[in-house]
Amino acid sequence: MRWDIFCQIVDNYGDAGVCWRLARSLTSLHGQEVRIFCDDLPTLNLLASGVDPEIRSRIDIQAWEASFANSGHLVQTPDVVVEAFGCELPERYLAGLLITPKKPLIINLEYLSAEPWIADFHGRASPQTHGIPKYFFFPGFQENVGGILIDPVPTGSLEGSATVPASLKASWALLRPNTKRISVFCYPGAPLLKWLGDLGSLGENFDIVLTHGQLQQLQFSSGHPTPIVALPNNIQLISIPFVSQDEYDWVLSQCDFNIVRGEDSFVRAQLAGKPFIWHIYPQEDRAHEIKLAAFLDLYLEDASQELKQAVTAAMAWAMPSHWLQSIEGWNSHSKAWHADLLKKQADGGLAARLMDFVA
Ligand code: TRH
């Protein structure tokens, strides 16, 4: 089938990250023909740059405007149109769909959530005055919702490939042997400097892999440049460049602990099978607190009371000295969660469920 995925980048990289991962899954695992129309090509191309050229060449990445460049006459009629995160289709593109003999299906791909209510809304029709069928599709962790994007499917080993990607060679050479590694990808507003200071006070060595932009965020976190030398010597900061999505996945697999943020890095941290802090995207109406609580209910369902308290505190940015004593238990829990997640997505996860749904 032909798929048109519409991706409007509200901010950051998450919208592009999810659309790209979906496109590659549909192409490489399900043999679909995919076009992505995106309003921010540089961001999308950056993420996509590391992928196997064979997969990359099969996905047609186009500017948003290219979707209606032929004044509504679609050169290729899609079978499925995906509106990622409820973005509105360009009017002239929609007009083109209305005059094609064969009507496609429109999928409104929603945000990932662990909230139980999504099961009632997943797959529901959203009647439109234009008459083209449109359905809600809710990604989620359970079997009765839309699943998660598991591509590239993690292999049996949690350690990932030992080969360091070229773009990370210089940074990786700075890592100290037998030293715990923590990757950091979070939003401004996290009490990171204090958190790292507390970690350093525990006496152990830690290498902190700061993703692109995090060092500046750290320096300016208190409103003015903060001297990073304020951190204890046992904390080594290593800044890495912005890397491709595959390379970022690799970084997560190589660290002992990951701090992640929007929906795509959040899922990849779980698939890395390591403990993580989810710095969830803050929303004005505090809806993120409900989303985080729903995830923790699921994630910690079988955990001991002690681990529940430790992880809940860590996710709320409690200082490591409050919960690091539970890290061994959290490590085992992360591996078990990873295995369970893959079991629940054994049908192929989001891309496969979307294929089934459309069929
Ligand atoms: O970038 P994010 O914060 O994105 C989003 C958006 O803010 C969006 O509007 C919001 O609704 C959503 O979060 C919840 O976080 P996310 O989703 O983790 O996306 C980051 C993507 O960038 C992910 O696909 C991994 C990728 N990435 C790289 O490819 N290279 C890198 O170096 C880094 C740090 C990330």
Side-chain angles (χ1 to χ4, degrees), residues 322-358:
H322 290 296
W323 51 264
L324 207 63
Q325 71 281 2
S326 303
I327 199 70
E328 278 317 312
W330 196 354
N331 273 328
S332 318
H333 181 75
S334 309
K335 289 197 181 82
W337 173 258
H338 165 268
D340 190 48
L341 202 58
L342 285 187
K343 213 159 53 186
K344 289 204 176 96
Q345 309 291 322
D347 58 356
L350 193 152
R353 291 185 201 179
L354 194 51
M355 289 289 300
D356 269 0
F357 183 75
V358 167

Side-chain angles (χ1 to χ4, degrees), residues 10-18 21 46-47 111 185 187 211-212 240-246 248-249 261-266 281:
V10 179
D11 55 8
N12 306 319
Y13 317 108
D15 308 273
V18 169
R21 220 181 270 286
L46 201 58
L47 260 80
Y111 288 99
F185 180 45
Y187 296 115
T211 56
H212 173 73
I240 60 168
F242 192 90
V243 291
S244 70
Q245 195 178 56
D246 280 5
Y248 177 64
D249 289 354
R261 54 185 219 190
E263 108 172 38
D264 193 57
S265 54
F266 164 57
Y281 189 74

Side-chain angles (χ1 to χ4, degrees), residues 100-113:
T100 56
K102 196 178 117 235
K103 299 287 170 274
L105 202 65
I106 302 179
I107 300 287
N108 179 353
L109 179 65
E110 279 290 342
Y111 288 99
L112 168 69
S113 177

Side-chain angles (χ1 to χ4, degrees), residues 89-107:
L89 296 179
E91 256 177 51
R92 277 152 70 192
Y93 173 84
L94 189 59
L97 293 183
L98 293 174
I99 55 171
T100 56
K102 196 178 117 235
K103 299 287 170 274
L105 202 65
I106 302 179
I107 300 287

